[in-house]
Amino acid sequence: MPILYSFRRCPYAIRARLALAYAGIPCELREVVLKNKPRAMLDASPKGTVPVVVLADERVIDESLDVMHWALAHADPDNWQTTPTVSDAQTLLDRNDGDFKHWLDRYKYADRHPENTAQWYREQTFSYLEALDQALLSNHWLHGPSMGFCDAAIFPFIRQFAMVDRSWFDECRFIALRRWLDRWLDHPLYQRVMAKYPPWTPGDTPRCVDWALQDD
């Protein structure tokens, strides 16, 4: 089965795990500590970021969206790859991985970027959050009545944003976005992939995870 190097809280790793679990693909999970990255992971992917998937034929997939596409090519039971109802969903995904992630990092780690305040960095995300909120006013999900690829790809980053100051987020004006986030946080798929595991070290007995076998 594939080997997955992952870090539980990393949004890129979360989106990959969501797709693998949704597609019912079991894997050998290797939870890593990013401050002490295992040599085996770096040998497979020298850039040193998660997720990294090593396939049985030794091919390596080390971009989160590529992992998602690979997983859904194997199984897509609820049609995550169908065209979203929201016409600009792909644009929202591109913005998520671009400008929004840029400002999210500065908001979360404002002490590392003292040229502006955390509040100022947060305000730079508002145009994107407003676009998401507007898209969700008439839809439960970005793909329409059911979740899809863009929902799973964007959600982990909104989760991370909300956690910087959850009390502020819970009172913010983006009501539809808040409800969407709560839907995700309560969803069995998310809860499956956020199980805690100890860090992997060479020589450990393989930790084989088959999310599809877990009960909803």
Side-chain angles (χ1 to χ4, degrees):
M1 63 180 65
I3 295 171
L4 170 65
Y5 292 95
S6 180
F7 176 62
R8 181 177 175 272
R9 298 194 308 274
C10 171
Y12 295 102
I14 293 173
R15 65 164 43 153
R17 296 197 308 272
L18 286 170
L20 290 166
Y22 162 74
I25 299 175
C27 65
E28 179 188 334
L29 178 64
R30 296 182 176 180
E31 181 75 9
V32 303
V33 177
L34 296 181
K35 293 181 180 179
N36 186 23
K37 299 166 186 174
R39 183 74 258 167
M41 187 186 92
L42 295 174
D43 288 342
S45 177
K47 67 182 185 139
T49 59
V50 293
V52 176
V53 172
V54 182
L55 304 179
D57 61 6
E58 298 185 354
R59 285 182 296 148
V60 174
I61 310 173
D62 60 2
E63 293 289 344
S64 60
L65 293 178
D66 291 341
V67 174
M68 294 183 71
H69 284 299
W70 176 83
L72 270 59
H74 284 72
D76 187 2
D78 296 326
N79 299 311
W80 273 20
Q81 297 183 99
T82 56
T83 302
T85 301
V86 176
S87 60
D88 61 348
Q90 183 59 48
T91 300
L92 293 174
L93 177 54
D94 292 341
R95 290 180 66 186
N96 178 84
D97 287 19
D99 286 348
F100 178 69
K101 182 60 166 64
H102 171 85
W103 295 120
L104 168 58
D105 287 345
R106 281 151 183 78
Y107 173 43
K108 183 177 180 181
Y109 302 110
D111 57 329
R112 302 179 189 176
H113 304 278
E115 56 272 22
N116 289 293
T117 65
Q119 180 179 348
W120 188 88
Y121 290 124
R122 183 172 67 202
E123 290 171 355
Q124 307 317 300
T125 70
F126 285 1
S127 65
Y128 178 65
L129 299 181
E130 182 70 36
L132 288 174
D133 193 65
Q134 288 296 313
L136 292 163
L137 283 175
S138 57
N139 298 279
H140 276 81
W141 305 97
L142 295 174
H143 278 248
S146 60
M147 69 170 62
F149 186 94
C150 287
D151 293 284
I154 291 173
F155 152 67
F157 299 85
I158 302 303
R159 170 191 174 274
Q160 188 177 69
F161 176 88
M163 290 179 64
V164 177
D165 186 343
R166 190 58 200 258
S167 60
W168 175 88
F169 186 83
D170 287 344
E171 299 295 329
C172 75
R173 69 176 188 264
F174 308 115
I175 297 174
L177 181 63
R178 285 160 38 195
R179 290 173 179 168
W180 176 82
L181 178 65
D182 288 340
R183 254 178 241 118
W184 262 117
L185 295 176
D186 290 337
H187 200 282
L189 180 63
Y190 165 72
Q191 294 172 5
R192 289 175 186 174
V193 304
M194 292 303 287
K196 293 183 179 181
Y197 297 97
W200 175 81
T201 57
D204 283 353
T205 300
R207 181 181 298 119
C208 299
V209 176
D210 187 349
W211 289 287
L213 297 179
Q214 301 184 28
D215 294 332
D216 287 350

